[in-house]
Amino acid sequence: MLPPHLPAYRTRAGEFDHTAVIAFAEIDRLWHERLTGLDVAVDDIPRMIPRDLETVQWPEEVTADGPVPLARLIPAGVDEAGRPTRAQLILFRRPLELRARHDDLPDILREVLIQQVATYLGVDEETVEQGPEN
């Protein structure tokens, strides 16, 4: 058991969350005013694995590596009780971690977040990277 003040105290999930927050902060800095209606969350695994893995075609709101979803954008809407819901960008931790080698998780997260934010904003990925003024 390690004391909470030591870096090794963090869990893998905690490390992932920390890395995701840092990756999203860069994008949020550029687009904050347009991202206030978007929640970012992390699930360990996707709950939407297709039956036919060879021919799956994901909709635009899913970022995937072949048949494996890495992230999903759920648009704002209305729940079963008629209450409004906020848009959600959900990162799938385990599939993203499995695709990362050594120290490239931040790069993979950044790429996936850029794709998802571009879909949310209705702009291309280059525009997300450059910011709204460019």
Side-chain angles (χ1 to χ4, degrees), residues 5-23:
H5 65 279
L6 292 178
Y9 176 78
R10 286 192 185 159
T11 64
R12 281 178 80 169
E15 285 291 330
F16 181 92
D17 292 349
H18 179 74
T19 304
V21 166
I22 291 170

Side-chain angles (χ1 to χ4, degrees), residues 8-132:
Y9 176 78
R10 286 192 185 159
T11 64
R12 281 178 80 169
E15 285 291 330
F16 181 92
D17 292 349
H18 179 74
T19 304
V21 166
I22 291 170
F24 185 73
E26 179 184 336
I27 298 166
D28 185 60
R29 182 181 55 78
L30 296 171
W31 293 93
H32 182 73
E33 289 183 23
R34 296 207 33 211
L35 297 178
T36 58
L38 177 66
D39 293 332
V40 179
V42 175
D43 271 350
D44 282 336
I45 58 171
R47 299 191 184 359
M48 48 193 246
I49 302 295
R51 294 177 196 253
D52 187 1
L53 297 177
E54 292 181 25
T55 62
V56 65
Q57 291 191 347
W58 293 107
E60 183 179 60
E61 65 270 6
V62 174
T63 298
D65 181 14
V68 180
L70 305 176
R72 179 179 183 195
L73 177 66
I74 300 172
V78 178
D79 68 12
E80 298 85 26
R83 296 177 300 236
T85 61
R86 293 168 52 90
Q88 290 185 335
L89 187 165
I90 302 171
L91 298 168
F92 300 121
R93 182 176 66 86
R94 292 295 297 142
L96 286 161
E97 286 177 333
L98 290 171
R99 279 147 185 82
R101 293 182 185 86
H102 306 290
D103 294 332
D104 65 351
L105 181 60
D107 295 333
I108 292 171
L109 279 168
R110 184 175 185 279
E111 182 179 324
V112 168
L113 286 165
I114 286 170
Q115 291 172 358
Q116 290 290 298
V117 169
T119 300
Y120 175 74
L121 295 174
V123 300
D124 62 43
E125 293 172 26
E126 274 187 40
T127 301
V128 172
E129 288 184 273
Q130 295 173 355

